Amino acid sequence: MTSPDAPDTPVVPVVPRGPETTRRRILDAARDLFAEHGYDHVSVRAIAERADVNLALINRYFGSKRELFHEVLNEAAVFPSMVGGDVATLPERLARYVVARTTGDDLPSPAMLAIHRSVSSPEVRQILAERMRTILFEPMAGRFSGPEAGEVAAIVTAIVSGAQSVRQLLGPEALKSAGTESAVKRLTAVFSACFDGLEPSDSVAKG
């Protein structure tokens, strides 16, 4: 029988193991560290220590710190579902995304904080440029046919990607003051004008 005066035995937390839980812990640790310190100031060793895993497991699951940062951003990606779908409703979907990004009261996600704290890194700027091209610009250009599709995709990409800058510089009240639905209506008209005269590539393929 244990004496009432005996010191309590410290409880050692049980860390879940297994491929999926290990991969999840690495990803969570990397996301949080990138958000706290920025890409250039986080080492793979620090991620391994935060995740309580062997250093070699990061290379096994992700290959490199660069690919790990890619995966952190992939979890926050919303562009594919927004660009896909009915072309007729694409202008309004884009408008609602921009307004939501600009006026939302929610705190920045860890992924957005990771971008904000890492954007001075040349490697991260290259990663972001690649993602903008493959996730937004190229899918947008692919929705339409004709020589102007790329130009229009570049214009739309510029508008959409500028939403976060507007929020950071002017605050969420910049568009709220005129009314959210009013802003959506005006932006829908802007995007509709961008697409005016373009033929959806799906229609061309079916024709």
Side-chain angles (χ1 to χ4, degrees), residues 53-123:
V53 300
N54 187 287
L55 188 64
L57 288 176
I58 293 181
N59 288 332
R60 179 188 300 178
Y61 288 111
F62 298 97
S64 66
K65 186 174 81 166
R66 179 189 179 95
E67 291 306 313
L68 189 46
F69 192 83
H70 259 296
E71 192 63 28
V72 167
L73 298 185
N74 282 341
E75 291 207 319
V78 295
F79 292 144
S81 60
M82 180 177 63
V83 175
D86 187 359
V87 171
T89 59
L90 181 56
E92 183 177 347
R93 292 202 305 277
L94 291 168
R96 291 196 177 279
Y97 171 79
V98 170
V99 171
R101 285 288 299 274
T102 308
T103 64
D105 291 325
D106 53 317
L107 295 174
S109 68
M112 289 308 302
L113 286 174
I115 292 173
H116 178 69
R117 294 205 165 98
S118 306
V119 75
S120 61
S121 167
E123 189 170 7

Side-chain angles (χ1 to χ4, degrees), residues 178-195:
T180 299
E181 286 305 313
S182 175
V184 168
K185 182 177 180 180
R186 289 179 182 277
L187 275 169
T188 298
V190 170
F191 287 123
S192 295
C194 289
F195 300 139

Side-chain angles (χ1 to χ4, degrees), residues 134-171:
T134 59
I135 291 180
L136 182 57
F137 173 75
E138 290 177 352
M140 185 67 65
R143 296 309 311 272
F144 300 95
S145 177
E148 295 182 337
E151 176 186 350
V152 170
I155 294 171
V156 171
T157 299
I159 297 172
V160 171
S161 62
Q164 190 63 28
S165 295
V166 170
R167 180 189 174 92
Q168 289 175 350
L169 297 174
L170 301 180

